[in-house]
Amino acid sequence: MTGPVRSVSQAFAILRLLADTSPLSLSDIGRVLELSPSSCLNLLKTLAAEGAVERDARSKQYRLAPVWAGSDVLTGGTTRRLAERAQPLMTRFAQASEAAVGLWKIVSRDRMQLAAHAESEAGMRLRLADAQRQPLGGGAAGRAIAAAQGVGEAELARRYAPVRWQADLPFETYAAQVREAAKKGFAVDRDYAHRGVCTVAVGLADIAPGFCLSASTFAGSRSDAEVDALGAGLIALRDELILGAG
């Protein structure tokens, strides 16, 4: 017997990606699936010719054609399964830590989006806005994802450039924080992304298109040791989530 046809597998990978995260540009699809621009374009042209995907002439982004988007064949994808698995674990963690917990997914080469969230029942608490987006390089989540992916300095600088920080954060300091996150397994943002907020995050780089778990508390409400404990707790949460998703 011969092995699977690579181009067919790649075409289905594109369809599953668009079912989970849509619309996306040619470069975004190629980056996430590690396809060359020419191969990715040829696959997308073929899928468009077969009526499976559509290209928006204005934005030049691709999405599933309505008949495919409404089908059950590609639903139940990575994001939904991961979010369903994560929700009770995140709720438990949020209650125990009195933190606002988020599951973020990479949606393009420049942005991430909140896929699920949970909050504690504390009298004074933070809450994450549904489906919010933020720059891929922003916050503790951006640092954690970069650390988990092991991105080089040029790509790190590209992600850092468009972020609007609420406190001065030179690139050299940002890069050092990413390196520290790679060593410790979690990233920390204190007041840089949002004044009055301390966020800890861990990356899930091995699950396409890339995810991150975050926990946010009021800045100054935790000691350094307690922030480190929050990071260790998130690492344990990530490992439990990955084990259950395997």
Side-chain angles (χ1 to χ4, degrees), residues 205-220:
D206 293 335
I207 304 178
F211 292 85
C212 180
L213 285 165
S214 69
S216 299
T217 63
F218 293 106

Side-chain angles (χ1 to χ4, degrees), residues 142-209:
R143 296 174 181 81
I145 288 173
Q149 292 177 329
V151 302
E153 186 162 321
E155 172 62 12
L156 197 61
R158 188 195 69 78
R159 297 184 186 188
Y160 162 87
V163 182
R164 295 183 179 180
W165 303 99
Q166 294 196 2
D168 183 46
L169 180 62
F171 174 71
E172 293 75 14
T173 303
Y174 175 83
Q177 292 171 348
V178 172
R179 292 193 295 269
E180 181 69 12
K183 293 178 182 177
K184 298 177 70 172
F186 61 88
V188 179
D189 182 289
R190 289 185 175 91
D191 289 313
Y192 291 111
H194 302 283
R195 290 190 187 278
V197 177
C198 173
T199 300
V200 182
V202 300
L204 293 81
D206 293 335
I207 304 178

Side-chain angles (χ1 to χ4, degrees), residues 72-154:
D72 291 335
V73 175
L74 295 171
T75 58
T78 301
T79 300
R80 184 177 65 80
R81 291 195 303 270
L82 192 65
E84 288 177 351
R85 168 64 183 165
Q87 195 65 62
L89 303 177
M90 292 166 58
T91 299
R92 184 188 68 193
F93 188 88
Q95 296 291 8
S97 63
E98 294 191 352
V101 182
L103 173 67
W104 301 83
K105 67 175 179 179
I106 298 175
V107 295
S108 75
R109 70 191 299 266
D110 298 309
R111 309 289 285 182
M112 69 178 79
Q113 183 172 7
L114 190 65
H117 62 92
E119 288 77 37
S120 76
E121 295 180 357
M124 291 289 289
R125 60 184 180 267
L126 296 170
R127 187 182 189 281
L128 301 173
D130 294 339
Q132 64 173 284
R133 292 192 177 202
Q134 71 174 41
L136 183 57
R143 296 174 181 81
I145 288 173
Q149 292 177 329
V151 302
E153 186 162 321

Side-chain angles (χ1 to χ4, degrees), residues 21 30 39 49-50 89 92 192 194 240 242:
T21 309
S39 294
E50 294 295 335
L89 303 177
R92 184 188 68 193
Y192 291 111
H194 302 283
E240 185 177 359
I242 292 174

